[in-house]
Amino acid sequence: MTSSDSAAQTPAKAPAKDPWDLPDVSGLVVGVLGGTGPQGKGLAYRLARAGQKVIIGSRAAERARAAAEEIGHGVEGADNAECARRSDLVIVAVPWDGHGKTLESLREELAGKLVVDCVNPLGFDKKGAYAIKPEEGSAAEQAAVLLPDSRVTAAFHHLSAVLLQDPQIEEIDTDVMVLGEERADVEAVQALAGRIPGMRGIFAGRLRNAHQVESLVANLISVNRRYKAHAGLRVTDV
């Protein structure tokens, strides 16, 4: 057999997938647990303003409905369980001290869902903010342990709630680091981030790398305090 015959019989290698070939997520219903807090409310506002169907959740349905009415853009409010049940993708934006109990109580409602954890385990003292390392390694890894039937990713950690909620700001100039185990899940979250003008979703590794991403918020808080800013992140050469 000649070398040309051998080459002819070797199947052509499929071209590498374009990392920017992301799915259309515009039809997904997005739930935001902790949607009455600054970060959750800001994300709900930006996504709804971009045309996404959004439901915000709270322990008290009345509080969620009041916040939804304040946000506008078709956002609905419900208790956490109903929010989880009715959503295709659920963003977890609850305070760190209630993270574990909240997710544990919603295990059934979140089964089969794509869950995006954006919680930053932080402590504060007279020196400022500092990172806390959960027993599981990170908030996202804790979520994965507590939600074995969900597809857990991590994203939206480094966003300024002040900028997200400001209606005068048209674009949010930042990248969103997205972590997860399955490429399809990560790409869906990247695509969701890209729905917000000015924002990109960037793959940043598997969940075992979530701790340093969550911890970086402590550094950004220090930046913001020194420079009176609302700092975000940009990944260069990508």
Side-chain angles (χ1 to χ4, degrees):
M1 181 182 293
T2 66
S3 59
S4 59
D5 290 336
S6 178
Q9 293 179 6
T10 302
K13 189 175 181 180
K17 185 179 186 300
D18 181 353
W20 296 111
D21 180 15
L22 301 174
D24 179 7
V25 297
S26 60
L28 295 182
V29 177
V30 176
V32 183
L33 302 178
T36 60
Q39 193 81 354
K41 189 183 290 186
L43 280 169
Y45 168 65
R46 287 291 161 180
L47 290 170
R49 179 170 161 172
Q52 208 77 32
K53 174 60 185 173
V54 178
I55 303 171
I56 61 173
S58 175
R59 287 178 295 178
E62 297 80 7
R63 188 179 175 199
R65 285 193 283 267
E69 186 175 348
E70 181 184 340
I71 295 168
H73 296 278
V75 175
E76 294 184 45
D79 63 44
N80 282 332
E82 182 183 347
C83 172
R85 278 194 301 268
R86 292 178 55 196
S87 302
D88 302 305
L89 179 153
V90 178
I91 297 172
V92 180
V94 300
W96 166 239
D97 58 7
H99 181 264
K101 288 184 178 180
T102 299
L103 295 185
E104 196 169 22
S105 70
L106 297 171
R107 181 176 296 172
E108 183 177 337
E109 290 83 358
L110 290 171
K113 309 282 184 178
L114 177 52
V115 174
V116 186
D117 201 299
C118 69
V119 175
N120 303 303
L122 298 176
F124 296 86
D125 59 20
K126 62 182 181 181
K127 294 182 179 180
Y130 61 92
I132 297 171
K133 189 162 188 177
E135 182 180 345
E136 298 85 355
S138 64
E141 288 170 293
Q142 183 183 87
V145 170
L146 294 172
L147 304 173
D149 299 319
S150 303
R151 292 135 50 214
V152 176
T153 61
F156 300 116
H157 301 91
H158 306 136
L159 306 180
S160 164
V162 173
L163 297 184
L164 288 173
Q165 294 185 81
D166 189 341
Q168 301 303 314
I169 294 176
E170 296 293 330
E171 297 188 358
I172 305 294
D173 181 23
T174 194
D175 287 332
V176 171
M177 301 179 80
V178 185
L179 303 97
E181 299 302 317
E182 299 296 333
R183 181 163 185 163
D185 295 338
V186 170
E187 289 183 344
V189 180
Q190 288 180 260
L192 185 68
R195 298 269 291 154
I196 300 174
M199 198 176 288
R200 294 188 307 173
I202 304 289
F203 171 64
R206 294 179 178 268
L207 286 186
R208 68 181 183 180
N209 292 322
H211 172 64
Q212 56 263 38
V213 173
E214 296 169 0
S215 299
L216 189 57
V217 175
N219 302 88
L220 290 177
I221 290 172
S222 297
V223 170
N224 290 336
R225 287 180 173 174
R226 174 64 61 90
Y227 298 101
K228 311 299 181 189
H230 302 291
L233 295 177
R234 278 294 187 199
V235 180
T236 62
D237 199 32
V238 175

